[in-house]
Structure formats: structure tokens, C-alpha cells
Amino acid sequence: MNPKLFWLKLSPPQILTLGFAALIGIGTMLLMLPVATTSREPLGAIDALFTATSAVCLTGLVVVDTATTYSTFGELVIMLLIQISGLGFMTMATLFALMFKRRISFKDRLVLQEAMNQTSVEGIVRLIRRVIIYTFVIEAVCATLFSIRWAFDMPAGQAVYFGIFHAISLFNNAGFDLFGQFHSFTGYVSDPLINIVSIFLIVSGGLGFVVLSDLIDFRQKRKLSLHSKVVLSMSGALILVGAVVIMVFEFTNPRTLGALDGGGKTLAALLQSVTPRTAGVNTIDITGMRQATQFFIVILMFIGASPGSTGGGIKTTTFTVMIGAVVAMMRGRQDIVLFHYRLAQERILKALTIALLAVLLVLTVAMILSTTEDGHFLEILFEATSAFGTVGLSMGLTPHLTAFGKVLICFTMFAGRLGLLTLVYALGPNKNKELYRYPEGKMIIG
């Protein structure tokens, strides 16, 4: 079949699904090359697939230690996969098209609309230009700050390399790190610069490019869209509540916050509240947390970041709509109203569908893993939720997964990165408009 005709026959969700799958396949083959490992021995196919999937899905879960297993070539492959996936392969294609002054077709705009989770194609190319600029500027500035700080701990060349790698990893909410032995950022638990820059990168990547664009234009327009208001208010609330809950639960725990001073406690609690949304780095030991804190982090990971961002989860807007539905029902109101705007029924049904599908996926994966893996149920639920939310936090189960468990987690990461509705639309039949409606029925609820 003519490739052009094949492209035209595919729907935007199918194009995105095939694109991410192809990127994972290329990454897997590159990571299986002998030059990609420090031992110069080819990595196993499943381990290479897991790492490539984790990088493309911006998760950060690993079955082998990144710093000690992969050579500089392997680390560069991982970094490139993170950057391409974070921007989106269609965004990268658009970048090259703009550079060579090629026309962006309407089909390309439809795919970009699906990739950026937008409601229309209007202004989509202008948004893509901003996405590219925002990404490289934020990453460059934060990479410079990281490099300056780490120049005090390591050679200058290595400090620059670490700065670039971790700026890309954190802004894209990927969670990969190069500190070795699965230690993540625990060596910098009380370092103000590392913590503040890390929080800024994670939050910036998790808010979404539409919100960043709105914030930059605020000085001129003097107003924010409803989407930006919901994202900013819910993100702020989750970060604040998360930090307070973690501080309360872990304040006296000697394995986490108990051994730190006041400033260290505050920085650690704040970062650990931000990182489940969905960055995957940590400055305190996840396995040393109390079970209540671990379960609370599961909730944060399930909610995730915001639409159009580099994060996963059901998204802050979905969570807000669900809360709005509960409040509206308790008050006896027919409509969900946010910031003096009424939400359409279609948006409400979409939010409920996403949330229900996510619950079913996480619970199904957790139940299956509980029969194939050796671990406590909370560890398994934590791992399954981390994979779906593309977070990357782990209670230590991932390196010990069976081959089947690794493949199942790969699928969960892929579904979480792509989006459940996008995956359903890609695998299911085309949506056709109904030509009739059934009579309304009544049933007892509750």
C-alpha cells in the first residue's frame, strides 16, 4: 500500500499509538547494542524494552540501574527518547517542517490536536512553536543552574552532562537519574538549589504547555482561560495538601523526615508532594515511609499532572470535574459550575469515563501482578499506579519483576502515556453519530 494512502486512512489516535510504539521499538534496538552498556555485552530484550518504554512513556521505572548499566551512548539514547517523547514526535516533525518551510497539512494538524489534547486545530501550529521555545529555554536555564551546583561535587564536564540530562528528565517528568544504586536525589535532600530547581522543572512540565502559554500572556491579556484556572488552582491545592500530609505522617519517622532539620523537612515534604505528579525522583527513601504516606502517594500518582503536559495520571482537570460532580449532587444542583462557567455534559461523561477506565486498569494490573510477583499488595498497587501515572516512584519491586510482570508494566506505562481514551479509540471502531435516541428510562441510584 502507498505509505501516503496508509497515513490518510489512519485516525489521529491510531497515528499516535503507532508513533509511540515505533519510537519504543527503535529505542529497544538501540539499547540492545553492545555499545549501549558499560560491560559491552548486549542487554536482554525484555530489559531493553522495559527501559525504552519507560523513557518514551516518561516514567522512570527501571529494572536495571541506569548509571551503572548503561554507557554514555546508552544514557544519550535514553535522554533523546525522553526529549522526543516529551515534546511529542509530531511536534518534532512539525519543528523540522517549519525549519524547512514545509506546509503543515490539515491531517497533521488533527494529529497535533490529539497529541496536545486540544479541542480544535485553531492556533495549533502557533502553540507548537511556543512548546518548542518554552521547552528548550526552561531546560537550558535549569541545566545551567544544575551544572553550576554540581561543579562543586564533580568535574566540570560531568557536571554539565549531569545538568543537561537531569533538566531534560525532570522537565519531561521522566524520573531517570544518573546517581546510581537507585538512590535518586537522596544525597541532596537538604540542598535548597537542587530542590527548588527540581520542583520548578517538575511543576512547569506538569502544568501543560497551554497553561504556560496563558501565564506568559497574562501581562497582556489580564485574564486566564477556564482550563488554566482549574489546573493552577487544583495543582496548587494538591501540592500544598500533599506537603502537609507528608509532613504530618513522616515528621517523626527516623527513616525519612525525622533525621532532618526544619528546613530539610520542609524541602523534602514539598518535593515529595510534587514528584508524584509525575516526576519519579525522590530525596527520601520511599520504602522507609509509613504505609499511610505510601498509600497517600498512590492517590497523588493516580491523579497525576494536567492535560497537554508531560505527565500522566487521570489529570487534575478530570479530578476537579469529579469533585465538582459530587459537590453539585450534594447541593442539589443540575450543573457543575467552575469559576462561573457551566461544564457541558460531554466533558463530565469524558471525565467519568477516564476515571473509571483508570481504576479498572490499575486494579486489574495489581490483581494480576499479585498472583505472578512476590511482594506485598501495597508494593504491587504502588508499582501499578506508578506505571499508569507514568511517575517512576518505586518501593523496590520493579527490579525483581518476572518477565511477564515487566511486559505487563510496559503495557501499563504505554496506556498511561498515550491516554486511555486515545488507546480505546485507536483499537476500537470509528465513532459514528447516532441517528436515533432511545426513550428515557428511570432507575434507582444509591
Side-chain angles (χ1 to χ4, degrees):
M1 179 183 290
N2 188 317
K4 189 173 183 179
L5 291 177
F6 179 72
W7 169 269
L8 291 174
K9 284 187 176 182
L10 293 175
S11 65
Q14 289 172 334
I15 292 173
L16 288 178
T17 303
L18 291 175
F20 278 114
L23 192 58
I24 289 172
I26 294 171
T28 301
M29 290 187 289
L30 290 175
L31 291 176
M32 287 178 64
L33 296 175
V35 71
T37 62
T38 55
S39 64
R40 292 300 186 266
E41 294 182 1
L43 193 66
I46 292 181
D47 288 347
L49 172 66
F50 193 98
T51 303
T53 304
S54 185
V56 171
C57 296
L58 308 176
T59 305
L61 287 174
V62 290
V63 289
V64 294
D65 185 56
T66 305
T68 56
T69 302
Y70 295 105
S71 63
T72 301
F73 174 81
E75 293 169 356
L76 289 174
V77 169
I78 292 171
M79 184 171 65
L80 190 60
L81 291 175
I82 292 170
Q83 186 69 88
I84 293 174
S85 180
L87 282 172
F89 68 92
M90 280 303 299
T91 302
M92 296 296 292
T94 304
L95 171 61
F96 287 112
L98 293 173
M99 287 173 58
F100 293 103
K101 301 187 183 324
R102 292 185 58 187
R103 177 177 167 272
I104 310 298
S105 69
F106 183 69
K107 182 62 178 286
D108 294 336
R109 293 169 193 262
L110 288 175
V111 179
L112 287 169
Q113 175 192 340
E114 182 74 25
M116 299 303 295
N117 206 6
Q118 297 298 292
T119 56
S120 72
V121 296
E122 183 181 359
I124 193 68
V125 175
R126 183 171 62 253
L127 176 61
I128 294 303
R129 286 196 186 99
R130 289 190 168 195
V131 166
I132 296 168
I133 294 172
Y134 298 162
T135 298
F136 290 136
V137 168
I138 292 173
E139 288 177 351
V141 171
C142 293
T144 302
L145 294 174
F146 274 152
S147 301
I148 294 172
R149 170 60 186 87
W150 283 325
F152 291 96
D153 300 336
M154 58 188 74
Q158 186 182 7
V160 171
Y161 176 61
F162 269 48
I164 295 172
F165 185 96
H166 292 97
I168 291 174
S169 178
L170 291 181
F171 178 73
N172 291 288
N173 283 210
F176 281 85
D177 70 89
L178 299 179
F179 293 104
Q181 305 301 319
F182 305 101
H183 286 162
S184 192
F185 281 40
T186 52
Y188 298 93
V189 61
S190 298
D191 191 298
L193 179 63
I194 297 298
N195 279 269
I196 292 172
V197 174
S198 298
I199 290 170
F200 173 76
L201 282 166
I202 296 167
V203 172
S204 298
L207 287 177
F209 296 109
V210 174
V211 178
L212 291 179
S213 181
D214 259 10
L215 289 173
I216 291 174
D217 290 341
F218 182 73
R219 291 181 60 183
Q220 295 177 340
K221 296 181 178 180
R222 291 296 174 184
K223 66 176 182 179
L224 295 173
S225 65
L226 173 62
H227 172 80
S228 295
K229 290 179 181 178
V230 170
V231 167
L232 291 171
S233 57
M234 181 52 69
S235 297
L238 288 172
I239 291 172
L240 180 61
V241 171
V244 171
V245 170
I246 292 172
M247 179 73 82
V248 170
F249 285 166
E250 299 295 320
F251 193 84
T252 58
N253 186 350
R255 297 181 63 186
T256 55
L257 300 184
L260 304 175
D261 57 20
K265 283 183 170 68
T266 302
L267 287 173
L270 191 58
L271 179 68
Q272 214 51 61
S273 173
V274 169
T275 194
R277 318 266 321 290
T278 56
V281 297
N282 57 283
T283 55
I284 53 179
D285 183 16
I286 301 296
T287 59
M289 289 179 169
R290 296 188 169 108
Q291 286 191 347
T293 313
Q294 293 168 342
F295 187 73
F296 179 70
I297 288 178
V298 168
I299 297 173
L300 292 179
M301 292 192 297
F302 184 77
I303 296 171
S306 302
S309 72
T310 56
I314 63 171
K315 305 294 192 295
T316 52
T317 49
T318 302
F319 184 63
T320 303
V321 171
M322 293 176 62
I323 292 179
V326 173
V327 172
M329 181 60 66
M330 292 177 65
R331 291 183 176 180
R333 295 179 177 175
Q334 188 174 2
D335 298 321
I336 298 177
V337 179
L338 301 172
F339 295 98
H340 307 293
Y341 284 95
R342 173 177 56 85
L343 295 186
Q345 185 181 24
E346 177 190 358
R347 300 291 170 186
I348 300 169
L349 291 176
K350 184 176 182 180
L352 293 175
T353 302
I354 290 172
L356 182 58
L357 288 175
V359 170
L360 291 176
L361 175 65
V362 170
L363 292 183
T364 301
V365 171
M367 283 191 292
I368 295 174
L369 289 178
S370 66
T371 62
T372 63
E373 311 303 319
D374 184 19
H376 298 294
F377 184 73
L378 182 56
E379 293 177 343
I380 293 171
L381 179 64
F382 194 100
E383 224 76 8
T385 310
S386 180
F388 163 72
T390 67
V391 180
L393 293 176
S394 174
M395 291 177 63
L397 180 64
T398 302
H400 306 292
L401 290 171
T402 61
F404 175 81
K406 292 175 183 177
V407 173
L408 183 58
I409 289 294
C410 282
F411 170 77
T412 309
M413 291 189 290
F414 186 73
R417 174 68 180 103
L418 196 61
L420 291 175
L421 282 184
T422 300
L423 187 60
V424 169
Y425 291 156
L427 299 178
N430 293 330
K431 296 180 291 181
N432 295 317
K433 186 176 181 180
E434 293 183 354
L435 302 178
Y436 56 88
R437 297 180 70 187
Y438 289 99
E440 183 178 334
K442 295 183 180 180
M443 61 182 292
I444 299 173
I445 302 294

